[in-house]
């Protein structure tokens, strides 16, 4: 990890959303790791009321990690059908959903799969922001993201973030 950071590549740690595990990451905050990716596998496999409790664990872990100074990411097993609960967590700034998009693109085409995921994410984000931002929350961002997808957006270096690329509108659309 130290060699990667020295080379200007940001390091994030993949961790289950568990308070003890998040607490154990405190020594790495501001040092070798700039972010944590919360494993959403248990959430994606949960049914009924268990999904809500798993989502709550992810939200608590996101709050804990952010309070330590980490950037918060999430992913593993997320699809358009289940991404809403995680996309609505305000602390999460990036979702890792590439596998779901490519799998779905076999059926819908890439543009269709991206539109479907953006709609699922946007619905969840809009609902979570409605109280704070009013009824127009998120509409402009979603429209801009969809326009970029339609224009064939592609990865490019992120300004001021050596070693990171901009994966396109999905990660930016709801940051």
């Amino acid at each position: 990890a130290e060699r990667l950071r020295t080379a200007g590549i940001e390091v994030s740690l993949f961790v289950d959303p568990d308070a003890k595990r998040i607490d154990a990451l405190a020594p790495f905050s501001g040092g070798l790791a700039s972010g944590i990716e919360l494993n959403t596998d248990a959430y994606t496999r949960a049914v009924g009321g268990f999904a809500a409790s798993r989502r709550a664990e992810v939200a608590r872990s996101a709050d804990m990690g952010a309070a330590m100074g980490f950037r918060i990411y999430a992913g593993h097993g997320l699809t358009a059908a289940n991404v809403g609960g995680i996309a609505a967590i305000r602390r999460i700034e990036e979702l890792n959903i590439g596998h779901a998009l490519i799998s779905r693109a076999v059926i819908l085409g890439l543009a269709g799969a991206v539109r479907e995921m953006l709609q699922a994410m946007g619905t969840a984000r809009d609902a979570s922001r409605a109280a704070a931002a009013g009824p127009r929350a998120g509409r402009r961002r979603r429209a801009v993201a969809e326009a970029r997808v339609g224009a064939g957006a592609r990865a490019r270096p992120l300004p001021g973030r050596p070693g990171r690329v901009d994966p396109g509108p999905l990660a930016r659309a709801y940051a």
Side-chain angles (χ1 to χ4, degrees), residues 3 25 45 48 59 65 69 76-77 79-80 89 97 109 123 138 142 150 161:
R3 285 180 37 208
L25 299 177
R45 295 176 186 271
H76 194 81
T79 66
I89 299 171
I97 52 175
T123 299
R142 188 169 53 253
R161 308 242 344 251

Side-chain angles (χ1 to χ4, degrees), residues 53 82 139:
S53 67
N82 64 22
R139 290 182 189 161

Side-chain angles (χ1 to χ4, degrees), residues 64-143:
M64 290 175 66
M68 291 179 196
F70 287 112
R71 299 180 74 148
I72 308 299
Y73 317 116
H76 194 81
L78 295 172
T79 66
N82 64 22
V83 73
I86 300 301
I89 299 171
R90 296 180 63 101
R91 296 282 190 185
I92 296 174
E93 62 182 82
E94 185 175 293
L95 297 171
N96 294 306
I97 52 175
H99 184 267
L101 286 174
I102 298 306
S103 298
R104 198 68 177 133
V106 171
I107 298 167
L108 301 176
L110 188 56
V114 169
R115 273 192 296 276
E116 178 183 67
M117 185 65 77
L118 282 171
Q119 181 178 4
M121 291 167 48
T123 299
R125 286 283 175 137
D126 287 351
S128 73
R129 291 180 177 173
R136 301 187 70 147
R139 290 182 189 161
R140 181 181 180 281
R141 285 187 179 141
R142 188 169 53 253

